[in-house]
Amino acid sequence: MLLYLNGAFVGLLILSNILAVKLFSINEWAVLPAAVIVYVFTFPITDTIAEVYGKEAARQTVMAGFITQLAALAFIFAAIHLPSAPFFADQAAFESIFSAGFRVTLASLVSYFISQNLDVTIFHKLKARNGESKLWLRNNASTMVSQLVDTTIFITIAFYGTMPLSALAAMILTQYLFKWVVAAADTPLVYLLVKLARRSKTATQKSFA
């Protein structure tokens, strides 16, 4: 189960970097990066890993995601600077999209590394205090705090200078509110994942006994 959780985590992370260059609006003032609909689901995964497999396993997952993003950043940079085929007419569009993706990936690296490690730290401090009980509390508290940090850092680095400061602040606020609602709503998902992971862990331990 840990392997599947790690795979899902890294896959969602890279997909969120690709989608982040697209902005969508819910109404006149609520503007969000498309990545938000994907990235929010990485936090339940790290919380599940932290709960079942421990703090070190969660940190290893975070580091795996960080290394993968570094690789993506390098490959995007290389792809942009590869000489185009004579019949390839979309080089300008390609550079426009993926140059933005380069900045977004850089923003994601910084915000991701800080917020995900913060999430793991808060989660385990609360677990040390409450033991196995109150999973809902450590899941929500760690995610909501770390998501605020993640949103502020990411939006600032990725979009500063491309829009008015009022729009930037509105984007931070609306994206965090969206993440806050999702964090509260995904609690049943965390309980389900934890249950499945514990069952899988127990079955694996018995098979090696």
Side-chain angles (χ1 to χ4, degrees):
M1 184 70 176
L2 180 58
L3 181 64
Y4 293 110
L5 290 171
N6 281 327
F9 178 85
V10 172
L12 290 172
L13 187 62
I14 296 303
L15 181 59
S16 70
N17 287 337
I18 296 170
L19 296 178
V21 296
K22 168 69 181 288
L23 300 177
F24 71 95
S25 59
I26 300 174
N27 51 42
E28 291 183 358
W29 58 272
V31 179
L32 302 169
V36 72
I37 62 178
V38 177
Y39 187 64
V40 289
F41 291 103
T42 62
F43 284 86
I45 293 175
T46 49
D47 285 351
T48 299
I49 293 172
E51 177 70 15
V52 179
Y53 300 99
K55 183 177 181 179
E56 281 308 307
R59 291 207 182 279
Q60 287 172 7
T61 299
V62 171
M63 184 55 66
F66 183 74
I67 293 171
T68 303
Q69 287 187 97
L70 282 177
L73 194 65
F75 286 127
I76 289 172
F77 181 82
I80 288 172
H81 291 87
L82 285 173
S84 299
F87 51 82
F88 183 67
D90 297 322
Q91 178 64 22
F94 181 86
E95 289 185 12
S96 176
I97 293 171
F98 284 97
S99 291
F102 182 84
R103 181 173 174 178
V104 164
T105 302
L106 181 62
S108 179
L109 278 171
V110 178
S111 61
Y112 163 86
F113 190 79
I114 294 173
S115 65
Q116 291 281 2
N117 279 292
L118 178 63
D119 179 66
V120 173
T121 299
I122 295 173
F123 187 94
H124 275 276
K125 284 185 179 298
L126 291 173
K127 187 171 184 179
R129 179 181 300 176
N130 299 308
E132 296 295 325
S133 64
K134 298 182 180 179
L135 171 59
W136 63 269
L137 175 62
R138 54 184 171 273
N139 166 57
N140 283 286
S142 63
T143 298
M144 289 174 180
V145 173
S146 57
Q147 287 277 30
L148 176 59
V149 173
D150 176 84
T151 303
T152 303
I153 295 174
F154 175 80
I155 294 295
T156 302
I157 295 176
F159 300 107
Y160 180 79
T162 65
M163 60 183 68
L165 289 178
S166 58
L168 199 73
M171 188 183 293
I172 291 172
L173 176 61
T174 54
Q175 184 174 156
Y176 178 66
L177 288 175
F178 178 86
K179 290 178 176 179
W180 193 93
V181 170
V182 173
D186 71 15
T187 302
L189 174 62
V190 174
Y191 273 87
L192 175 61
L193 290 175
V194 167
K195 181 179 180 180
L196 293 173
R198 282 178 172 159
R199 184 182 300 170
S200 175
K201 184 180 179 182
T202 300
T204 300
Q205 290 172 341
K206 286 182 178 178
S207 67
F208 285 99

